[in-house]
Amino acid sequence: MPPTVGVLALQGDVREHLAALTGLGIEAVTVRRPEELAAVDGLVLPGGESTTMAKLLRTFELMEPLRERVGRGLPVFGTCAGMILLADRVRDGAAGQETVGGLDVTVRRNAFGRQVDSFEADLHVGGLDEPVHAVFIRAPWVEEVGGGVEVLAQAAEHPVAVRQGRLLATSFHPEVGGDGRLHRLFLDLVG
Ligand code: GLN
């Protein structure tokens, strides 16, 4: 049976991820409830606002079930705010900002600063032949990585795409622009 991949649909660019996954022939579903989480083989945490999403994860009683599934090896792809949600440690977070965690990295929120709030760059991504046109929007970067974390791409001398086991995270938005290769990499982790 082909895998079912969920997109956390509490806030953020849910539709773009659903479209990217559907474009690769995958059955993609929205996840807002613990029962929906329990039914997926992989999950995308979209871009948006990480503080809002973290609060909504509590409101929707998804935080603990999600932590538990990540702990049991659920493949998860976090983009931008989703990368922040996956990170074990956050700098420049809101007071008391929670994360799901699981990815042994320290990220800095809004790291690229005001002048370059949003920008685009062609990045070499490990495992892909041609560069990826990456769109950054108030993006985090990674400041520290644990031993099991593989850095797949860098910008401004900081990791902006990382993989650890079945967790994949990018500072940028691969769901924007119609390049399905990062989603394909994620689907390889889903199996
Ligand atoms: N700056 C946002 C945050 O901290 C992330 C931005 C994005 O996902 N495009 O959550």
Side-chain angles (χ1 to χ4, degrees):
M1 261 210 344
T4 302
V5 174
V7 179
L8 183 71
L10 303 177
Q11 193 265 337
D13 58 347
V14 175
R15 254 188 314 174
E16 290 81 352
H17 276 291
L18 290 172
L21 292 164
T22 306
L24 294 172
I26 285 295
E27 189 181 341
V29 297
T30 55
V31 169
R32 287 191 194 84
R33 290 153 12 125
E35 310 85 84
E36 292 166 340
L37 175 63
V40 298
D41 305 304
L43 183 69
V44 172
L45 304 178
E49 179 51 57
S50 59
T51 55
T52 307
M53 269 191 264
K55 283 183 197 152
L56 290 172
L57 281 169
R58 282 277 168 223
T59 307
F60 283 72
E61 297 183 346
L62 278 169
M63 183 65 93
E64 294 309 332
L66 184 49
R67 282 179 175 161
E68 193 198 312
R69 279 216 70 189
V70 171
R72 286 192 285 123
L74 178 71
V76 182
F77 182 16
T79 64
C80 201
M83 171 192 258
I84 298 170
L85 286 174
L86 269 185
D88 281 342
R89 297 165 298 277
V90 181
R91 293 192 178 135
D92 286 344
Q97 178 167 353
E98 278 194 292
T99 70
V100 176
L103 185 61
D104 185 10
V105 299
T106 304
V107 297
R108 185 174 294 280
R109 268 180 86 214
N110 303 328
F112 289 94
R114 260 216 194 134
Q115 283 77 1
V116 286
D117 246 3
S118 299
F119 65 99
E120 302 183 13
D122 291 317
L123 298 182
H124 176 72
V125 177
L128 301 180
D129 289 340
E130 300 294 322
V132 169
H133 188 71
V135 177
F136 292 81
I137 304 167
R138 291 177 62 74
W141 67 33
V142 175
E143 297 204 335
E144 291 162 0
V145 298
V149 178
E150 185 186 355
V151 175
L152 300 179
Q154 303 215 29
E157 291 171 20
H158 285 277
V160 291
V162 294
R163 178 168 57 199
Q164 177 192 335
R166 301 176 100 182
L167 305 179
L168 175 68
T170 62
S171 301
F172 52 90
H173 290 269
E175 70 281 16
V176 176
D179 180 344
R181 288 176 295 161
L182 262 309
H183 287 82
R184 175 69 70 197
L185 271 188
F186 174 57
L187 293 176
D188 290 343
L189 301 180
V190 176

